[in-house]
């Protein structure tokens, strides 16, 4: 299903477990055209750790997380080995049909370490097989940690914040 909107949907089914739970607000991808896309200023040569919590409602619905070193207008030629990619991870192990709660963590945390090659990093996430409300993927607690300067940047922490 393609609804023409490329932004992720807001969701109350975010990660409700642990110290970063907040109100459990997060984002979701439930259509092939939706993506997470966030430009972040970074320092060239600095090593960062990116982390994201995810939960797929259906088995075999992977997510691809790219840390790009430039903005893109489309996905033509975008692969994990593209020269525009500073970091990449395919998330294939986050299936859990159960929603999280304050007592049950049903999300999977994925991390990517990368060294910035330009002055921006573009956090780009897609789940091409998330095609409906039964195959959607939920994301929460999206963070970028500057390991050299001990700085943490939270991108999904505030209730109703759009990524």
């Amino acid at each position: 299903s393609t609804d023409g909107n490329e932004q992720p949907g807001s969701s109350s089914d975010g990660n409700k477990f642990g110290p970063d739970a907040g109100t459990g607000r997060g984002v979701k991808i439930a259509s092939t055209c939706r993506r997470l896309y966030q430009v972040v200023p970074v320092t060239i040569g600095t090593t960062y750790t990116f982390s994201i919590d995810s939960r797929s409602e259906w088995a075999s619905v992977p997510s691809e997380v790219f840390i790009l070193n430039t903005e893109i207008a489309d996905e033509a030629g975008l692969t994990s080995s593209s020269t525009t990619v500073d970091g990449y991870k395919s998330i294939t192990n986050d299936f859990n049909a159960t929603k999280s709660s304050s007592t049950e963590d049903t999300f999977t945390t994925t991390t990517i370490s990368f060294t910035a090659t330009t002055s921006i990093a573009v956090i780009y996430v897609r789940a091409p097989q998330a095609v409906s409300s039964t195959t959607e993927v939920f994301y929460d607690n999206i963070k970028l940690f500057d390991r050299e300067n001990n700085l943490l940047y939270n991108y999904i922490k505030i209730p109703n914040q759009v990524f």
Side-chain angles (χ1 to χ4, degrees), residues 121-150:
V122 179
I123 300 165
Y124 189 74
V125 182
R126 65 184 179 189
Q129 294 173 5
V131 296
S132 70
S133 62
T134 59
T135 60
E136 57 198 356
V137 183
F138 298 89
Y139 305 95
D140 203 349
N141 300 320
I142 300 170
K143 303 174 186 176
L144 186 64
F145 183 69
D146 174 344
R147 297 185 334 202
E148 294 172 25
N149 297 302
N150 202 29

Side-chain angles (χ1 to χ4, degrees), residues 104-120:
E104 186 174 10
D105 186 4
T106 60
F107 277 69
T108 299
T109 301
T110 299
T111 60
I112 302 171
S113 291
F114 69 98
T115 301
T117 59
T118 65
S119 61
I120 64 166

Side-chain angles (χ1 to χ4, degrees), residues 1 7 17 19 36 40-41 45 60 88 93 97 99 101 108 117 122 124-125 129 138 148 150 154:
S1 140
Q7 295 183 358
F17 183 84
L36 279 71
V40 180
S60 303
Y88 173 83
N93 64 340
K99 295 179 181 181
S101 68
T108 299
T117 59
V122 179
Y124 189 74
V125 182
Q129 294 173 5
F138 298 89
E148 294 172 25
N150 202 29
N154 287 322

Side-chain angles (χ1 to χ4, degrees), residues 6-14 25-31 34-36 55 57 127 130 132-133 135-140 142 156 163:
E6 293 181 353
Q7 295 183 358
S10 177
S11 176
S12 61
D13 290 330
R25 299 292 306 174
V27 294
K28 67 181 177 179
I29 292 179
S31 179
R34 292 184 183 258
R35 305 287 187 262
L36 279 71
R55 180 179 68 84
E57 284 197 324
S132 70
S133 62
T135 60
E136 57 198 356
V137 183
F138 298 89
Y139 305 95
D140 203 349
I142 300 170
I156 299 275
F163 182 79

Side-chain angles (χ1 to χ4, degrees), residues 60-78:
S60 303
V61 180
S63 296
E64 289 186 289
V65 180
F66 296 85
I67 307 297
L68 305 173
N69 55 35
T70 188
E71 291 196 62
I72 59 173
D74 60 47
E75 295 180 336
L78 180 61

